Each structure stands twice: as C-alpha cells, then as structure tokens.
C-alpha cells in the first residue's frame, strides 16, 4: 500500500518570503500522480499543483512550484512571495496511475502553514 | 462554473441514529469519491463509484453504505451512528476514472452527540 508522509506538522513564514513544505511517499508503482491540496479555514479542499511521475520537469503554478525527486520519493512544495491568503493546512496526496477503476487519493498528515504579517 | 454540491452542509445526530449524506457531482462527471476527515486528521478514502457501480472500497465501516444513482448523484448512508463518526465528509467527482483531477465539494460536517 502507498503511504504519504509529511514530517512538518506546522510551518510559519513571514509575508513575502519563501517557504518549502516537505513530503515523502512510498510506492512500488512506476506510474502515479502527486498533488498538493490546500485546506483553508473554510475546510474546502483546493488543488494547488499536480505532478505526473513520468514527467521530469517540475510543475509550476504561479507562485507555487514543486521539487519532485522520483528516486528519493520526495515531493516538496515551494511557495514564493507568501501572502496572507496562503495560510492554510496543506496536504500532499498520491494517486495511482493505474486503469480499471477510479483511483483514490492517499493523503499525508498535513502541514499547517501560518503567514506572519 | 458548477461545482460539487453536498447536502446538508451541517448535520447533528444522536448516537444510534441514521444519517444520509448527498453528493451531486459536476455535470458530466461520472465518477464519485467519498472521504472522511476526522478532527485534526487527513482525509481517509471511504468508497468510490464509476457509472453507478462501486469501483473501490476503503476503510468504510459495515454500518455505512453508499450508492450512485442514474443521474450520477451519490448518497452515503450511515446507520447506528457512533461518537467517532463525527467528522467532515467530503465528496469529490471527476470526469472519468482516468481523470487525474478530482473536484471536491465543501463537505458535510456531521456531529454525533
């Protein structure tokens, strides 16, 4: 079974600075997808960024980028120019790339990010 | 744009009662997932459906059952409720089982007293 581990329960950063959230995963599969979800106080789950395992290039979405190290099974999220609205719980998630049915998400424990003004 | 609709948003039930949570996926989405998020926990997969058939099953108690209807909406039925069932229940939908992106609803907060 696949597992996702986020070793940082809490992180804080000054507004406008850069912060990196860590995530490691364990899998024997070669085809999979990795995600970062944001859960603000409203509890809505919002997709931040997605990475396909077969792509060597790291995904980027505006101020959000990932460092995907497939061999090390590491998938960190970098948030640049942090804004107050970035404050939330961030979940790293894994999804198998297999076919034949709906593929569930496996989530890490989450990292609570605080932005200091 | 239409999103995943869950109802009710909040629900309070007493122990041993039953509850039914509903999920209306984004139009044309035929795949639905249910997740349970306990207080301070990460979301845990319960069950999924594709084209009205159960696709995968996670850590869903036997007291829970779910189905997907012909219009693709889904219902999660929970019986003999326990205090430990208090959680946020998310529904997510995707365009197909192969779609990599699942869109989440706002969740139903169930409180069992």
């Amino acid at each position: 079974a696949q597992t996702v581990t986020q070793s940082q329960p809490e992180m804080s950063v000054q507004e406008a600075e850069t912060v990196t959230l860590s995530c490691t995963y364990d899998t024997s599969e070669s085809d999979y997808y990795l995600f970062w979800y944001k859960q603000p106080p409203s509890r809505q789950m919002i997709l931040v960024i997605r990475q396909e395992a077969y792509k060597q290039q790291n995904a980027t979405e505006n101020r959000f980028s990932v460092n995907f190290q497939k061999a090390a099974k590491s998938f960190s999220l970098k948030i640049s120019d942090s804004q107050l609205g970035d404050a939330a719980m961030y979940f790293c998630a894994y999804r198998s790339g297999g076919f034949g049915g709906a593929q569930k998400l496996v989530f890490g424990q989450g990292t609570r990010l605080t932005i200091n003004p | 744009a239409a999103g995943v609709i869950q109802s009710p948003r909040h629900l309070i039930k007493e122990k041993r009662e039953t509850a039914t949570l509903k999920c209306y996926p984004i139009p044309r989405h035929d795949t639905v997932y249910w997740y349970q998020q306990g207080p301070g926990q990460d979301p845990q997969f319960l069950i999924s459906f594709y084209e009205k058939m159960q696709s995968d099953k996670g850590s869903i108690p036997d007291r829970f059952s779910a189905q997907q209807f012909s219009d693709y909406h889904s219902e999660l039925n929970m019986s003999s409720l326990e205090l430990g069932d208090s959680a946020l229940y998310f529904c997510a939908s995707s365009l197909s089982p192969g779609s990599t992106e699942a869109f989440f609803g706002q969740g139903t907060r169930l409180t069992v007293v």
Side-chain angles (χ1 to χ4, degrees), chain B residues 75-89:
Chain B
E75 295 183 4
L76 177 64
N77 299 293
M78 311 160 70
S79 62
S80 302
L81 287 169
E82 302 173 357
L83 295 178
D85 296 329
S86 296
L88 187 61
Y89 289 84

Side-chain angles (χ1 to χ4, degrees), chain A residues 56-108:
Chain A
Q56 291 188 338
Q57 186 173 7
N58 290 322
T60 298
E61 289 286 343
N62 300 314
R63 298 182 296 107
F64 299 87
S65 61
V66 299
N67 184 3
F68 174 47
Q69 300 291 325
K70 191 171 184 178
K73 295 180 181 174
S74 169
F75 182 61
S76 61
L77 174 69
K78 185 172 82 170
I79 305 175
S80 303
D81 185 25
S82 298
Q83 300 176 1
L84 294 178
D86 295 333
M89 181 72 85
Y90 285 81
F91 290 100
C92 178
Y94 173 102
R95 176 193 180 279
S96 295
F99 296 95
Q103 299 297 332
K104 64 181 181 290
L105 291 168
V106 177
F107 289 88

Side-chain angles (χ1 to χ4, degrees), chain A residues 33 35 37 39 42-45 47 50 91 95 100-105 107-110, chain B residues 31 33 35 37 42-43 45 48 55-56 88 90 97-102 104-106 109:
Chain A
Y33 301 84
F35 306 83
Y37 279 88
Q39 188 176 42
S42 67
R43 307 302 299 276
Q44 175 82 47
M45 293 292 284
L47 178 64
R50 170 180 55 219
F91 290 100
R95 176 193 180 279
Q103 299 297 332
K104 64 181 181 290
L105 291 168
F107 289 88
Q109 303 90 331
Chain B
T31 305
Y33 307 81
Y35 293 87
Q37 185 178 25
D42 55 288
F45 171 72
S48 62
S55 180
D56 193 8
L88 187 61
F90 283 109
S99 296
T100 58
E101 185 168 358
F104 281 79
Q106 292 186 292
R109 179 172 297 283

Side-chain angles (χ1 to χ4, degrees), chain B residues 8-25:
Chain B
R9 292 290 309 279
H10 302 274
L11 190 59
I12 300 175
K13 290 285 186 178
E14 295 188 353
K15 284 192 301 184
R16 293 179 289 279
E17 285 192 319
T18 61
T20 297
L21 310 186
K22 298 184 178 182
C23 169
Y24 297 86

